[in-house]
Structures are given as structure tokens and as C-alpha cells.
Amino acid sequence: MSQPPPTDGTTPVVRAVDLQKSFGPVHVLRGVSLQVRAGEVLCVMGPSGSGKSTFLRCINQLERLDGGELWLREDLVGYRLRGGRLHELTEREIARQRRGIGMVFQRFNLFPHMTALGNVLEGPIRALGHNRAAAETAARRLLDRVGLSDKYDAYPAQLSGGQQQRVAIARALAMEPYLMLFDEPTSALDPELVGEVLDVMKSLAADGMTMIVVTHEVGFAREVGDTLVFMDEGVVVESGPPGIVLGAPQHPRTQEFLSRVLG
């Protein structure tokens, strides 16, 4: 096992060490190592099937790693160290570890029978045990923040894709996460709706939210990202400041991918 993270205030929010994940014969993650510090925005790009979404799902423990180590702050994901040995966490402990992470998917995954306000309220009341009145005040504030102050009582079917995704972001924020994961949050949207979601994400970054964003939105990565990682076939091919990776990629595979994305 690698050294535990330091406890002097410099602990990364996410530290991945040689992550391995396979689905049957398909080796999806082949030794991914990286770290994200508090307040940083890490953007991840790469072709379909490169392991980007699997990496996010492993952070949120929707998939179990086959090898390597993943640390969230001082906690080893999925395990605890006791008596010099690793012990698997129980489902309840995993849920507690997952609680500090917000995740926004390509599809909005809203509860169709609940209003926008109801969708945002559900987690704080059921998972966090918040008082309903206080939770509702906070939920309204979050919907205001994502520009939906006039949609409290609207059901998902009455909202555009961009509005639904903004509700999904508010719902994730309602759980008071220290880390937000975005899995291509604009890929299912009509082009004219992309900007409204990206604007919300930009505001979160400006407020210091730690974020990992899987995206093909080059402009967003260039403007908002602190680090850009390019993945292909389960490995990190290239990483660095977005302006450098996008403007002067060093690896031929990165160059080929960006030439297609940028036209």
C-alpha cells in the first residue's frame, strides 16, 4: 500500500494510484494515477471507451476497483485500515463515504413524479435527516442559484433538457458535497441549451468547488480547468494546464483526437 496522505492541510481531495478496472476481458482502467487538490477543476477528455466515465464511477463507488488505491481526503475508498490490515467497508459505511460527493450524469435521472423542488428536497430530508422547513428553504435557494426560481413546482416533463440538468446540479449540491463529479453533463442537450448548464458549472468553479469534469467542451476546459487530462485506452496519455495541452499537445494520440474535436 502507498503512503497515506499527509495530515498537514495539504491532503489532496482525490488521489488515484495505479487504478485498475476490468469488465470481463476488457481492461478499462490500466494504471490511472492523478490527484486533485481542494478548489481545483480537473477536466478529463478522451474518445469513447477510454475509461473516463468508469474513473468517475469508481470515485463514487458505483464500480469497485480491481486494483490500485483511491483516496478521498484521508479516507481509502472502499476500505479502512485497522491493525495493519485492510478491511472492506460495509454498505452503510460506503454510503457514508459517498455522501460527500455529488455526481451529475449525462442523463438527468430526476424523479419524474416529483417537482423540481421535491427532487432537490429528497436527499437532505431522507439521507441527511434535515428538518423539512430548513431543507425547503435551502432547496429554493439552490434552485434560485441555478436560475430556476420560477420552476419550483414544475415536473421534469415540463422542463427543457437544460433545465432538468440544472435541477440535477441543484439536487447534487443539496447534499453539501466537498467534491462534484460531472460525467459529460451537456452531451444529451440540444446545442442551444449547453451554455446555461456550463454557466452554472463556471459559477461553482468560481466559488471554489472541487470538480472533476468529463467533457468534450473545449472552451469550458480552457477557461475553467486547472488541469486537463487526456485519456485513451484506460491510461492517462497526457496532462497539464489546459492551454498547453489544447494549444501544443505533445502526444500523437492527443494531437489526433484534438484535430478531430477542434476541426
Side-chain angles (χ1 to χ4, degrees), residues 230 237-238 248-256:
F230 175 71
V237 174
E238 190 166 349
Q250 300 300 302
H251 195 281
R253 186 66 186 93
T254 316
Q255 295 169 0
E256 178 189 7

Side-chain angles (χ1 to χ4, degrees), residues 2 36-37 110 142 164 214 241 245 251:
S2 68
V36 184
R37 297 197 175 277
L110 299 178
L142 285 170
Q164 290 185 62
V214 171
V245 175
H251 195 281

Side-chain angles (χ1 to χ4, degrees), residues 145-146 169 173 197-209 211 220 224:
R145 180 178 182 179
V146 300
I169 293 173
L173 292 173
V197 173
L198 294 181
D199 285 344
V200 171
M201 295 169 63
K202 290 175 185 177
S203 74
L204 293 179
D207 288 344
M209 175 63 73
M211 298 162 59
F220 175 87
V224 181

Side-chain angles (χ1 to χ4, degrees), residues 147-186:
L148 294 174
S149 57
D150 59 338
K151 300 296 183 182
Y152 297 157
D153 298 323
Y155 288 88
Q158 299 170 315
L159 301 173
S160 70
Q163 290 169 334
Q164 290 185 62
Q165 193 63 295
R166 284 185 280 155
V167 173
I169 293 173
R171 180 177 63 179
L173 292 173
M175 296 298 289
E176 303 171 4
Y178 63 84
L179 171 66
M180 285 286 288
L181 309 176
F182 293 87
D183 188 5
E184 299 194 30
T186 60

Side-chain angles (χ1 to χ4, degrees), residues 21-23 26-30 49-51 54 231 233-235:
K21 177 64 183 178
S22 295
F23 295 104
V26 182
H27 200 170
V28 181
L29 298 180
R30 302 169 177 262
S50 59
T54 298
M231 289 182 64
E233 296 185 350
V235 300

Side-chain angles (χ1 to χ4, degrees), residues 8-248:
D8 59 0
T10 64
T11 305
V13 173
V14 180
R15 182 164 67 104
V17 182
D18 193 29
L19 301 189
Q20 308 284 338
K21 177 64 183 178
S22 295
F23 295 104
V26 182
H27 200 170
V28 181
L29 298 180
R30 302 169 177 262
V32 172
S33 296
L34 53 81
Q35 65 180 25
V36 184
R37 297 197 175 277
E40 289 186 344
V41 178
L42 173 71
C43 293
V44 185
M45 289 186 168
S48 178
S50 59
K52 309 181 303 296
S53 295
T54 298
F55 172 59
L56 291 191
R57 292 175 65 84
C58 287
I59 293 175
N60 209 22
Q61 300 189 65
L62 298 175
E63 302 289 352
R64 185 177 290 254
L65 287 168
D66 296 326
E69 297 171 14
L70 187 56
W71 296 82
L72 295 175
R73 294 176 168 175
E74 294 88 8
D75 296 327
L76 184 61
V77 167
Y79 298 89
R80 68 178 178 276
L81 185 62
R82 187 174 63 195
R85 300 181 61 184
L86 290 177
H87 300 266
E88 288 192 11
L89 298 182
T90 65
E91 288 300 319
R92 178 173 293 182
E93 289 170 326
I94 289 173
R96 189 179 304 119
Q97 201 173 64
R98 184 188 288 138
R99 194 173 293 163
I101 303 171
M103 189 160 182
V104 178
F105 299 87
Q106 296 178 35
R107 296 291 175 179
F108 324 119
N109 297 330
L110 299 178
F111 297 115
H113 62 290
M114 292 183 180
T115 63
L117 186 64
N119 268 277
V120 179
L121 274 174
E122 185 73 2
I125 291 175
R126 289 189 177 273
L128 302 182
H130 287 183
N131 169 272
R132 184 176 182 87
E136 183 167 334
T137 298
R140 289 176 183 273
R141 190 182 308 120
L142 285 170
L143 287 170
D144 293 348
R145 180 178 182 179
V146 300
L148 294 174
S149 57
D150 59 338
K151 300 296 183 182
Y152 297 157
D153 298 323
Y155 288 88
Q158 299 170 315
L159 301 173
S160 70
Q163 290 169 334
Q164 290 185 62
Q165 193 63 295
R166 284 185 280 155
V167 173
I169 293 173
R171 180 177 63 179
L173 292 173
M175 296 298 289
E176 303 171 4
Y178 63 84
L179 171 66
M180 285 286 288
L181 309 176
F182 293 87
D183 188 5
E184 299 194 30
T186 60
S187 65
L189 301 179
D190 292 334
E192 65 268 23
L193 302 178
V194 168
E196 61 192 46
V197 173
L198 294 181
D199 285 344
V200 171
M201 295 169 63
K202 290 175 185 177
S203 74
L204 293 179
D207 288 344
M209 175 63 73
T210 309
M211 298 162 59
I212 302 179
V213 184
V214 171
T215 183
H216 289 302
E217 299 292 340
V218 174
F220 175 87
R222 190 190 305 273
E223 178 184 349
V224 181
D226 295 293
T227 302
L228 175 60
V229 164
F230 175 71
M231 289 182 64
D232 190 32
E233 296 185 350
V235 300
V236 174
V237 174
E238 190 166 349
S239 67
I244 293 177
V245 175
L246 293 170

